Amino acid sequence: MSDKKVRVRFAPSPTGGLHLGGVRTVLFNYLFAKKYKGDFVLRIEDTDQGRYVAGAEDYIMDCLKWCGLIPDESPAAGGHFAPYRQSERKAIYREYAERLVMQGHAYYAFDTTEELERNRREIPNFQYGHAYRDSLRNSLSLTQHQVDQLLDAGEPHVIRIKMPENEHIHFTDMIRGNVSFETGQSDDKVLLKADGMPTYHLAVVVDDYLMKITHAFRGEEWLPSAPVHLLLWEYLGWKANMPQWAHLPLILKPDGHGKLSKRDGARLGFPVYAMNWFDEKTGELTPGFREKGFLPVAFINMLAMLGWNDGTDRELFSLPDLIDKFSIERVNKSGAKFDYEKAKWFNAEWIKLTAIDKLLPDVEELLNENGVQAEKEYIKQVLALVKDRLNFVTSFWKEASYFFEQPKEYDLDAVKPKWTDAKTEFFQSFIVMLNDSDPSIEAAEMETQFKALAEEKGIKAGELMLPFRIMLVGGKFGPHVFDIAVLLGKDGTIKRIHKALEAFNSPS
RNA sequence: GGCCCGUUCGUCUAGGGGUUAGGACGUUAGAUUUUCAUUCUAGAAACAGGGGUUCGAUUCCCCUACGGGCUACCA
């Protein structure tokens, strides 16, 4: 590694929601940059106007913000190398493409999409490359005069790289080590499209150069086009400045085969995008980790562990921890199947580790959505009681709604078969006892009194605990029942006993 | 089909020429919790196959198999 300042970039195409694999690519970029006190650049690769989706760019920015992976330079924040949107850099690319034509490393091609499609259909394994380029309509097969005429007439054309027929090309990938290719295997990729926009291939090289990118991390799906990029760096005379490459392993479907897609999430019931994504064209909402109730720290932690570890048994890392421990050499080569169960575990662990005050805003919002107003202090006490049983912040309501409103239904099947008049009488006496008790009674004290009363009435305490729970909670779940009663308070508890008694004693 | 990349428990992974192949999720059993979850303890569970190299390979090399990616005027 040279002593140049580390500069990395994440270069998404604004075509829709941000996939968890994309977030992981951002994360590794970010960790590497911060580890070496370098810059993290967000560059928007919007060179395909046909696939451009309004709102996608803002959405991506919001995702990064939620994750805490803030770019040092971006379309929004600006920077020394602005603009950071490739559509706004359109004028830059043509010059370099022309230069390549001049040098004989690229050429004009006038073939129409229809002609190429027919070739692909009719010629098995057709590639626009050394085998066929001479028989197609381009500046290699046509005379200079013909080419000039076409160009002057404004005939639509692209510029293609001329891949050498038989060169061996190799580079050292930071993750995979030496990787090599035969240049003749790749086709003559389009560099500049008919609309004057560059393709990814040209744009990534030009912008990485212009933006002084030192390390380029991207998904493994880019490996096959690496030789094109390498050649471009060489032909443009920038080889000495070429970034070091690292091709990240892919995130795979948990079951079947292939890359994880948002369809898998819908099929298997888990989010794939970082945040909810609403597609205006289809009206389809693709759920996100944020709305599902994931903490950003857990989401990031989980993603980091998908393909990386610090060499010890440690699994829980905050973002600063990750910056401290990260090393690209410890990133795995092989793809990882996404495991939602493990993702949930990370979230549950981080909810346990997160201070109640930090959880409070999300929980307050959740209560709001459910039309509940409550004192901060009260919410915090509830949170203290249920925090360790949450997989998601959003399950707070399901897990703790009974602290804020009376149970709407009772699990009568759990009570009725063993319900007796003696038990009704017990609870009536218990109400009296509660009424007389100190308002600041503690859970342990209440439990002692409860048990004493049970003994007095000749009923096993164990027979009464579950009914009591169901009176307060509605079901067979929740923290220690006397903790609940104390938090509900004397009056609240008595009210619930009254109401439940009616339900328990009504004929079914 | 061609090219490229990969392969340790079901999953994520540690390890690395001589180990009882370690951890985590999940799972099973038990304890605690007079509910459920948490927590704790214990258990089952892996080096794809074949050749080399070597005194010795799961570890290094080759082949095969399998998996994945790419093969657009998409990124």
Side-chain angles (χ1 to χ4, degrees):
Chain A
M1 222 183 282
S2 74
D3 51 5
K4 279 188 298 189
K5 181 168 196 191
V6 167
R7 287 177 57 80
V8 302
R9 78 321 194 243
F10 176 57
S13 177
T15 53
L18 184 58
H19 188 275
L20 103 213
V23 180
R24 193 184 54 162
T25 304
V26 180
L27 178 62
F28 287 176
N29 267 291
Y30 180 88
L31 295 178
F32 187 83
K34 295 306 144 189
K35 175 107 201 160
Y36 295 106
K37 309 262 184 278
D39 298 327
F40 169 50
V41 177
L42 174 68
R43 184 173 70 216
I44 299 294
E45 309 227 334
D46 54 350
T47 53
D48 185 353
Q49 80 259 66
R51 294 212 308 156
Y52 180 81
V53 175
E57 185 184 316
D58 287 340
Y59 167 92
I60 289 166
M61 295 282 289
D62 287 346
C63 287
L64 299 192
K65 196 171 164 194
W66 177 61
C67 293
L69 307 172
I70 311 297
D72 299 295
E73 297 164 31
S74 69
H80 280 299
F81 303 89
Y84 292 92
R85 244 175 240 118
Q86 288 182 332
S87 60
E88 293 169 15
R89 304 169 65 79
K90 183 175 174 184
I92 299 174
Y93 308 104
R94 173 141 222 137
E95 175 199 338
Y96 295 107
E98 302 276 5
R99 188 155 115 198
L100 290 165
V101 175
M102 215 83 90
Q103 293 168 159
H105 292 308
Y107 58 91
Y108 298 106
F110 301 94
D111 319 85
T112 64
T113 310
E114 295 70 41
E115 285 167 343
L116 294 176
E117 272 171 11
R118 196 183 44 220
N119 281 329
R120 288 200 187 91
R121 229 177 309 126
E122 291 172 2
I123 305 172
N125 299 127
F126 171 80
Q127 277 208 146
Y128 206 125
H130 58 84
Y132 294 103
R133 67 165 81 99
D134 290 341
S135 59
L136 295 155
R137 295 177 61 229
N138 55 54
S139 60
L140 262 23
S141 62
L142 303 170
T143 65
Q144 181 68 36
H145 180 66
Q146 286 172 308
V147 172
D148 289 344
Q149 262 188 336
L150 286 167
L151 254 23
D152 288 345
E155 184 78 8
H157 62 277
V158 301
I159 293 178
R160 289 179 179 271
I161 185 172
K162 184 183 175 191
M163 291 297 284
E165 189 173 339
N166 221 351
E167 263 177 41
H168 190 72
I169 194 162
H170 66 95
F171 71 99
T172 304
D173 186 282
M174 284 191 279
I175 294 172
R176 291 149 212 283
N178 200 270
V179 184
S180 61
F181 304 85
E182 296 298 329
T183 53
Q185 292 295 335
S186 179
D187 61 346
D188 291 350
K189 295 279 183 229
V190 170
L191 264 20
L192 201 73
K193 299 188 259 190
D195 64 2
M197 280 286 194
T199 58
Y200 172 82
H201 305 295
L202 211 220
V204 73
V205 172
V206 169
D207 285 344
D208 281 353
Y209 169 74
L210 260 16
M211 295 182 180
K212 300 199 187 313
I213 300 303
T214 56
H215 301 267
F217 305 148
R218 65 195 347 180
E220 189 186 343
E221 70 266 31
W222 289 107
L223 211 40
S225 51
V228 176
H229 309 322
L230 251 25
L231 248 20
L232 252 17
W233 276 95
E234 186 184 322
Y235 294 159
L236 259 3
W238 302 333
K239 198 146 192 196
N241 297 309
M242 187 170 76
Q244 283 199 260
W245 298 99
H247 290 88
L248 271 18
L250 266 15
I251 298 177
L252 277 12
K253 298 176 196 292
D255 54 353
H257 309 293
K259 284 197 280 191
L260 182 69
S261 76
K262 69 170 183 180
R263 289 272 156 237
D264 299 311
R267 182 170 58 87
L268 272 8
F270 56 76
V272 170
Y273 286 171
M275 309 186 322
N276 277 0
W277 169 254
F278 182 70
D279 186 328
E280 304 211 343
K281 270 194 200 127
T282 62
E284 180 193 12
L285 179 82
T286 309
F289 280 87
R290 182 179 72 172
E291 289 79 0
K292 178 71 196 174
F294 275 80
L295 259 18
V297 64
F299 183 52
I300 290 303
N301 192 167
M302 177 271 290
L303 252 19
M305 300 311 286
L306 224 46
W308 175 85
N309 67 82
D310 77 339
T312 73
D313 288 341
R314 181 172 175 192
E315 294 194 277
L316 266 14
F317 297 87
S318 67
L319 193 52
D321 292 338
L322 287 171
I323 293 169
D324 185 38
K325 302 287 185 191
F326 186 73
S327 70
I328 194 76
E329 293 80 14
R330 290 202 63 87
V331 174
N332 278 297
K333 295 178 180 62
S334 48
K337 289 185 183 172
F338 178 66
D339 182 356
Y340 188 52
E341 290 304 318
K342 186 90 184 222
K344 284 197 285 196
W345 176 79
F346 275 108
N347 204 45
E349 288 302 308
W350 274 107
I351 288 174
K352 283 180 221 162
L353 287 171
T354 302
I356 287 167
D357 284 335
K358 289 255 174 65
L359 261 14
L360 195 59
D362 285 344
V363 169
E364 283 183 307
E365 197 186 318
L366 199 61
L367 291 175
N368 250 328
E369 284 167 19
N370 285 283
V372 167
Q373 300 291 323
E375 293 288 322
K376 261 190 176 34
E377 270 317 302
Y378 182 70
I379 302 171
K380 280 161 79 167
Q381 284 176 296
V382 174
L383 214 32
L385 235 38
V386 302
K387 191 163 88 92
D388 288 1
R389 36 204 322 134
L390 302 177
N391 268 333
F392 306 108
V393 181
T394 45
S395 23
F396 178 83
W397 181 250
K398 190 173 133 253
E399 194 64 50
S401 62
Y402 56 87
F403 280 107
F404 304 94
E405 57 186 31
Q406 296 214 5
K408 293 196 175 69
E409 285 178 358
Y410 297 103
D411 184 351
L412 293 174
D413 292 345
V415 179
K416 281 213 163 179
K418 289 176 152 186
W419 191 246
T420 61
D421 290 344
K423 288 181 182 174
T424 300
E425 197 202 317
F426 167 86
F427 279 105
Q428 278 160 350
S429 305
F430 185 57
I431 287 170
V432 173
M433 180 185 266
L434 269 180
N435 237 331
D436 294 342
S437 69
D438 182 342
S440 64
I441 185 169
E442 289 186 7
E445 175 59 17
M446 192 193 287
E447 182 170 357
T448 308
Q449 293 182 6
F450 184 94
K451 285 180 174 168
L453 184 62
E455 195 170 343
E456 194 186 312
K457 300 280 179 191
I459 307 174
K460 277 190 217 153
E463 300 262 313
L464 296 162
M465 300 281 266
L466 190 63
F468 188 33
R469 166 176 300 281
I470 290 176
M471 286 171 168
L472 302 184
V473 173
K476 289 191 280 186
F477 64 95
H480 193 52
V481 68
F482 294 102
D483 285 333
I484 299 171
V486 165
L487 213 49
L488 253 19
K490 211 158 102 169
D491 295 344
T493 303
I494 290 169
K495 246 202 234 166
R496 289 187 188 203
I497 296 173
H498 271 307
K499 191 178 171 211
L501 245 22
E502 281 174 34
F504 289 5
N505 288 319
S506 71
S508 53

